[in-house]
Amino acid sequence: MASSENFVTLPNGVRMPIFGLGTSHGGGYNQDSVVFALRECNYRLIDTARRYGCEHLIGQAIKESGVPRESVFLATKMWPTDYGTESAIQAAKLSLTKLDTDYLDLYMMHWPLCPSSVNDVRSTLDDAWRGMERLLDKGTCRAIGVSNFSIQDLAELMENCSVVPHVNQCEFHPYQNPKELRTFCRENNIIFQGYCPLANGLVLKEAPVVNVAQSAGRSPAQVLIRWSIQNGVVTIPKSIKRERIKENCQVFDFQLSPTEMAILDNIQTSLRAVDPTELQGKIDDNKPDGYKLPAHLQYVPL
């Protein structure tokens, strides 16, 4: 996976692997699996977030793997309750502490939403982005971005920003393929990154996916990941199972044909693995980060 074809270059020149490991707390967390991904499968991009409650575990896994920190592209996200210029900076510092590192390769705003108590959402998002720009200026973050931003969200942020987001991370698979948003990102030099490339497993048995997998002689999961990569989209499949982690990374020794790509490119059915209509309630509910993790894995401040 060391080939230059396996990286994308962000607008500021930073190189980002096109393939990595996604993490969360919704599907569980397994420390040994993260170490396995890094040490045995050559994963070099790890994506996490404050909300997942596993930043401290990721930091430990990198050290346990023996892979040098500078060889790992580490991305995390602030939660909307952190939005604001100074609070964004403080949130980044806390993530640095949990991850046991002195810099982030990519730091993102998790959603274009704020707690319901916020009166001026747009100015709060702008304030948070100013904090991100300061983190970039100080070298705390090598790149800054957003997650789940629509064309309108990006356009409004860009009206007042000094630095255009380097990345926009959104759900991406053949059943959630926001072509207009991808075009907008490309035209504005924003790297589009996709999460849930397997739609949390919901599309693995869909006929178009199965048919392309049979045609390519690969598993449905490998075909979906390869489809993202051939579209130039950074992809971060999640799994806590070693066999799936290994299977997911074996996608650099084949290519989908133009016909196979076209089948997956032009699926008309829409499906979301993550329902954005549920997010406002989750932002307002004040549950602790990583609340779905077992107690022994949750972060305890020193």
Side-chain angles (χ1 to χ4, degrees):
M1 286 175 58
S3 169
S4 61
E5 296 178 358
N6 302 336
F7 293 82
V8 298
T9 301
L10 303 186
N12 62 344
V14 171
R15 292 209 320 161
M16 179 181 187
I18 200 168
F19 170 85
L21 181 69
T23 62
S24 73
H25 61 147
Y29 179 88
N30 185 290
Q31 184 80 342
D32 290 341
S33 294
V34 178
V35 174
F36 174 76
L38 287 163
R39 182 188 291 161
E40 305 297 335
C41 300
N42 207 30
Y43 282 69
R44 290 297 180 265
L45 162 60
I46 305 291
D47 179 270
T48 189
R50 173 200 143 173
R51 185 60 169 175
Y52 305 157
C54 59
E55 288 177 315
H56 62 297
L57 300 170
I58 298 293
Q60 293 170 16
I62 293 172
K63 285 183 168 53
E64 187 178 339
S65 75
V67 177
R69 167 66 185 91
E70 60 270 19
S71 297
V72 179
F73 191 101
L74 187 54
T76 192
K77 313 171 196 75
M78 76 171 81
W79 191 239
T81 52
D82 296 323
Y83 291 174
T85 301
E86 293 301 326
S87 53
I89 293 170
Q90 292 306 310
K93 290 181 179 178
L94 181 56
S95 286
L96 290 171
T97 297
K98 291 178 180 178
L99 289 161
D100 195 13
T101 185
D102 56 4
Y103 71 97
L104 297 169
D105 294 284
L106 174 63
Y107 196 41
M108 291 171 279
M109 296 170 62
H110 207 151
W111 288 91
L113 300 170
C114 294
S116 296
S117 58
V118 172
N119 292 322
D120 191 337
V121 171
R122 183 172 176 183
S123 67
T124 301
L125 295 176
D126 286 344
D127 288 345
W129 189 251
R130 274 189 282 274
M132 302 277 278
E133 291 174 335
R134 285 170 55 182
L135 290 164
L136 182 68
D137 288 342
K138 292 178 181 178
T140 305
C141 306
R142 298 177 67 221
I144 52 177
V146 295
S147 185
N148 301 297
F149 273 49
S150 67
I151 292 175
Q152 180 178 344
D153 296 325
L154 289 168
E156 291 178 353
L157 188 69
M158 288 163 61
E159 285 181 11
N160 296 312
C161 71
S162 298
V163 178
V164 173
H166 298 128
V167 172
N168 184 23
Q169 182 189 108
C170 300
E171 182 173 341
F172 183 70
H173 47 77
Y175 292 81
Q176 187 56 227
N177 182 3
K179 294 180 180 179
E180 291 183 3
L181 176 59
R182 289 171 58 203
T183 297
F184 181 89
C185 288
R186 185 167 56 251
E187 290 174 346
N188 288 278
N189 207 19
I190 300 168
I191 295 295
F192 186 86
Q193 180 182 14
Y195 65 79
C196 290
L198 313 182
N200 288 350
L202 297 174
V203 302
L204 293 176
K205 295 183 179 180
E206 292 294 318
V209 177
V210 172
N211 290 341
V212 170
Q214 291 175 344
S215 172
R218 295 291 178 140
S219 71
Q222 289 172 328
V223 160
L224 290 168
I225 294 166
R226 184 68 206 179
W227 175 80
S228 286
I229 291 169
Q230 285 185 223
N231 271 304
V233 174
V234 178
T235 185
I236 45 172
K238 294 184 296 186
S239 183
I240 60 172
K241 297 179 179 179
R242 288 191 176 200
E243 62 271 21
R244 297 295 184 218
I245 288 171
K246 186 173 183 178
E247 174 188 334
N248 290 347
C249 75
Q250 294 173 334
V251 292
F252 292 96
D253 59 348
F254 76 102
Q255 284 199 336
L256 298 177
S257 70
T259 299
E260 292 165 341
M261 287 294 292
I263 291 171
L264 299 179
D265 279 337
N266 294 294
I267 290 173
Q268 300 302 311
T269 307
S270 181
L271 177 151
R272 278 189 178 271
V274 176
D275 185 356
T277 64
E278 298 178 352
L279 262 296
Q280 191 64 59
K282 291 182 178 180
I283 292 167
D284 292 336
D285 66 14
N286 289 320
K287 288 182 179 177
D289 298 331
Y291 62 90
K292 295 181 182 179
L293 294 175
H296 73 280
L297 292 179
Q298 293 182 9
Y299 177 70
V300 178
L302 297 176

